[in-house]
Amino acid sequence: MKHVIALDVGGTGMKAALVGADGTLLYEARRATGRERGAEAVVESILDFAADLRAYGEEHLGESAVAAGVAVPGIVDAENGIAVYASNLGWRDVPMRQLLGERLGGVPVALGHDVRTGGLAEGRIGAGKGADRFLFIPLGTGIAGAIGIAGTIEAGAHGYAGEIGHIVVRPGGPDCGCGQRGCLETLASAAAVSRAWAAASGDPEADAADCAKAVESGDPAAVQVWQNAVDALAAGLVTALTLLDPRSLIIGGGLAEAGETLFTPLRAAVEERVTFQKLPHIVPAALGDTAGCLGAGLLAWDLLSTEVST
């Protein structure tokens, strides 16, 4: 059965699949990234995982994968197939496409940025299906974004497009790792809500999910923490929709798991801030933590269709 290898590399774990031409997941597997072993060991783990997936396809599907797609975090030069930098994995300038191609016997390999790759899947087969313009924003440890235009993801001139987490929404606010203060991700990411609720509740182990539960039970301190995050998020989203005019805003990541505890106040906060702008549909992501893997599969199939057309 004709298939491609899809790999989504995260800071702690890797998700992989063999994906059929119609998008069917023919086989799924997960492994630890093992970043504590260092950057070189992580790269070797990725290559080994891909080789094992190829062997599985040969044994169980009757043939080798015809291509591979891999999504990685950090700064990515997709055009040249280089994983430029990832702070949480410790690598710099890894020629990922070349290394994977060699390990997989010369099949074509596509490399993508993890959030943009997840956005590609959400846009084509997930919550954005049918939307010609969308913005996908996962709210996790940080906040990133993927700008969807007519079935593709806009990477920008230098590969940095969509970094909505570094819009300054509270000038003079908390320090951000990027060097600015008051960035959106310092106030509205899952990590930011966890920090704020741990401080407000006096429980250093409390996290964003705990805060959401406390909001649902009517805890006034939790409501205040939550509303502060929602207000900051709404400010960032209105800036984004003023620039991009998307038809849909797709919100994913850990914070979105709170469901309507997040979406009901968020829709209201965005609506009260827009003036002339058209209000987009604000919807939860549909694919969960499989988005990156599914997107990597799409990248691989896109690569094959591009080669055929050229």
Side-chain angles (χ1 to χ4, degrees):
M1 186 177 290
K2 199 172 184 184
H3 63 278
V4 298
I5 292 167
L7 261 169
D8 177 23
V9 180
T12 56
M14 296 185 284
K15 293 176 282 292
L18 299 179
V19 186
D22 60 354
T24 305
L25 296 177
L26 305 170
Y27 172 69
E28 293 180 76
R30 296 185 182 226
R31 283 187 189 174
T33 304
R35 62 181 174 179
E36 68 282 351
R37 295 178 296 124
E40 287 186 16
V42 169
V43 172
E44 195 57 37
S45 294
I46 294 167
L47 300 179
D48 286 345
F49 201 4
D52 289 347
L53 289 159
R54 179 179 185 236
Y56 183 94
E58 288 172 341
E59 183 178 347
H60 296 275
L61 301 176
E63 62 179 300
S64 287
V66 291
V70 58
V72 298
I75 299 168
V76 179
D77 179 352
E79 189 175 340
N80 294 304
I82 296 170
V84 178
Y85 173 67
S87 59
N88 59 352
L89 294 176
W91 65 39
R92 284 185 183 273
D93 298 321
V94 177
M96 190 69 73
R97 183 171 65 198
Q98 178 191 333
L99 293 173
L100 272 169
E102 289 169 356
R103 185 65 68 93
L104 295 173
V107 300
V109 176
L111 180 69
H113 177 270
D114 57 351
V115 173
R116 287 197 287 271
T117 303
L120 179 69
E122 282 289 353
R124 282 208 205 156
I125 59 178
K129 190 174 180 181
D132 55 344
R133 299 283 191 282
F134 68 87
L135 184 60
F136 168 59
I137 303 167
L139 308 172
T141 305
I143 298 178
I147 302 164
I149 302 172
T152 63
I153 300 296
E154 172 56 49
H158 307 96
Y160 293 8
E163 289 290 350
I164 184 176
H166 298 290
I167 290 175
V168 174
V169 293
R170 299 286 184 266
D175 289 333
C176 181
C178 79
Q180 300 186 108
R181 296 184 67 186
C183 286
L184 179 60
E185 73 173 40
T186 68
L187 296 153
S189 63
V193 173
S194 293
R195 284 193 301 271
W197 180 233
S201 67
D203 177 2
E205 300 298 313
D207 62 12
D210 297 323
C211 185
K213 286 176 192 156
V215 169
E216 288 157 16
S217 68
D219 184 310
V223 169
Q224 185 61 57
V225 166
W226 197 256
Q227 194 59 50
N228 288 344
V230 166
D231 287 345
L233 182 56
L237 292 180
V238 170
T239 298
L241 69 89
T242 303
L243 287 171
L244 301 171
D245 187 28
R247 206 168 300 279
S248 297
L249 284 174
I250 304 167
I251 311 294
L255 216 57
E257 291 173 14
E260 286 307 312
T261 302
L262 174 67
F263 284 93
T264 297
L266 181 60
R267 290 185 186 109
V270 171
E271 188 166 3
E272 71 184 30
R273 283 169 172 78
V274 297
T275 53
F276 66 91
Q277 304 95 330
K278 289 288 187 186
L279 198 64
H281 301 292
I282 301 176
V283 296
L287 302 176
D289 71 351
T290 63
C293 197
L294 289 165
L298 291 171
L299 286 179
W301 284 114
D302 283 358
L303 196 58
L304 289 173
S305 63
T306 302
E307 288 188 349
V308 169
S309 63
T310 54

